[in-house]
Amino acid sequence: LLAASVNANMDSVTEIFLKLLFLLCVHNWHTAVEGSKYNCDDQLVSALPQSSFSSSSELSSSHSPGFARLNRREGAGGWSPIVSNEYQWLQIDLGERTEITAVATQGGYGSSDWVTSYLLMFSDSGRNWKQYRQEESIWAFAGNTNADSVIYYKLQHSIKARFLRFVPLDWNRNGRIGMRIEVYGCTYRSEVVGFDGKSCLIYTFNQKLMSTLKDVISLKFKTMRSDGILLHREGQNGDHITLELIKGKLSLLINLGDTKTHPSNAQINITLGSLLDDQHWHSVLIEHFNNQVNFTVDKHTHHFHAKGEFSYLDLDYELSFGGIPVPGKSGTLSHRNFHGCFENIYYNGVNIIDLARRH
């Protein structure tokens, strides 16, 4: 058991804390350099080394992926695969997890080779790929109409990834696949903690400094396990709130405890998402304003009104992330602790992982 106390003279942002407790082992801290959220449009590809580029194939050494930089004329003036079909791809390794806000493409310099439409894939590992989607539909980017014009796209929502892959869908049929690319964005600020399935993080705070009107919890998670407790909060009379991954779906359970005190709507159970155990990052947001609750998973939001005497005043001033510290307190829950990673845990604007790392 490792305990960390927070001094009472901390600044106004963090003065609501009294202490942080770790149960068992919470490990794998990682902090990245903070990027500017107001000017996240740096060119990311132009300065990359040749080793950062790869592809499904190359027509010749002068058509290798390392020649695929925007507006450059080295080699044959761009990347071209050995065969033009829909199984080819051009990949870049940005070296670290990065926020990507825009992309741009050209054809091969001075040629008849250009791509007219393509898909964009992204990954943290370079093995497990996810496709960029817009409005939850497959999104094919319109490409080029000649070899030298630049087609620039500002992404509707940014991508956070280390690896990016361009997958041509169609190309100029009087030539072949040819691409030069640029990617825009900035370094992504990331506070990550890993859980080993036997761990949980307990955050205890000062009830005198808490608002009774509003609670906001946000985090991202990534896992290969289909079950596990992400968040738990419990009261003295059996009241509890639990966020649990069950068979790859997220379930938010609000239990008002004593059915004699709360005879109607004593339990609310909302399920969102599917296949969330795919080793990709998924975002969660829980907002509570009086009896109004907004539960959001990956941009899908369920709004509901918790009837009765639902109030966080019925709950202890303690949050548990990654598991339930005392198994058996809350009925029939599976009690499987979370196995995977959390990123950027915030409770009412407080960065929980950063506080744990610093204390």
Side-chain angles (χ1 to χ4, degrees), residues 60-74:
S60 69
S61 59
S62 60
H63 293 84
S64 69
F67 295 122
R69 295 178 176 86
L70 201 73
N71 293 320
R72 301 285 281 272
R73 302 180 181 183
E74 293 89 350

Side-chain angles (χ1 to χ4, degrees), residues 91 97 100 119-134 136-139 141 157-167 220-222 273-283 297-300:
Q91 179 177 313
R97 198 153 178 248
I100 299 157
L119 297 178
L120 197 60
M121 311 290 288
F122 58 95
S123 171
D124 285 339
S125 64
R127 295 181 301 274
N128 189 20
W129 293 91
K130 192 171 185 178
Q131 183 176 304
Y132 177 80
R133 293 174 178 266
Q134 198 158 287
E136 296 310 308
S137 61
I138 295 175
W139 182 259
F141 290 80
H157 53 88
S158 65
I159 295 170
K160 285 82 173 178
R162 173 177 171 176
F163 296 89
L164 205 61
R165 183 176 283 189
F166 294 78
V167 182
K220 290 186 176 182
F221 72 93
K222 178 170 68 171
S274 62
L275 303 176
L276 300 178
D277 51 347
D278 60 356
Q279 193 62 6
H280 286 290
W281 288 106
H282 298 282
S283 60
V297 178
D298 292 339
K299 296 178 289 186
H300 295 282

Side-chain angles (χ1 to χ4, degrees), residues 157-297:
H157 53 88
S158 65
I159 295 170
K160 285 82 173 178
R162 173 177 171 176
F163 296 89
L164 205 61
R165 183 176 283 189
F166 294 78
V167 182
L169 294 178
D170 206 355
W171 51 92
N172 177 27
R173 298 297 170 163
N174 294 320
R176 59 172 60 245
I177 291 174
M179 292 192 84
R180 288 176 287 172
I181 61 169
E182 183 56 88
V183 176
Y184 304 85
C186 58
T187 300
Y188 178 57
R189 185 181 188 275
S190 178
E191 302 277 6
V192 178
V193 58
F195 291 87
D196 61 3
K198 301 176 182 179
S199 317
C200 67
L201 174 106
I202 298 180
Y203 166 46
T204 305
F205 43 93
N206 189 345
Q207 56 181 305
K208 293 180 181 180
L209 298 175
M210 292 303 301
S211 167
T212 61
L213 299 178
K214 178 182 178 181
D215 255 340
V216 179
I217 302 170
S218 66
L219 59 87
K220 290 186 176 182
F221 72 93
K222 178 170 68 171
T223 182
M224 295 179 65
R225 306 294 176 90
S226 59
D227 300 278
I229 298 288
L230 274 72
L231 170 71
H232 183 73
R233 191 173 182 185
E234 191 149 341
Q236 299 296 326
N237 301 312
D239 301 8
H240 64 267
I241 296 176
T242 305
L243 181 65
E244 183 175 11
L245 191 66
I246 302 174
K247 296 181 179 179
K249 300 180 180 181
L250 267 186
S251 174
L252 177 63
L253 175 65
I254 300 173
N255 193 314
L256 295 179
D258 189 351
T259 56
K260 294 180 180 179
T261 305
H262 309 291
S264 62
N265 300 289
Q267 181 168 297
I268 299 169
N269 195 344
I270 305 298
T271 299
L272 282 180
S274 62
L275 303 176
L276 300 178
D277 51 347
D278 60 356
Q279 193 62 6
H280 286 290
W281 288 106
H282 298 282
S283 60
V284 179
L285 176 65
I286 301 172
E287 301 169 290
H288 161 232
F289 307 91
N290 290 328
N291 283 14
Q292 178 65 41
V293 181
N294 301 328
F295 176 36
T296 303
V297 178

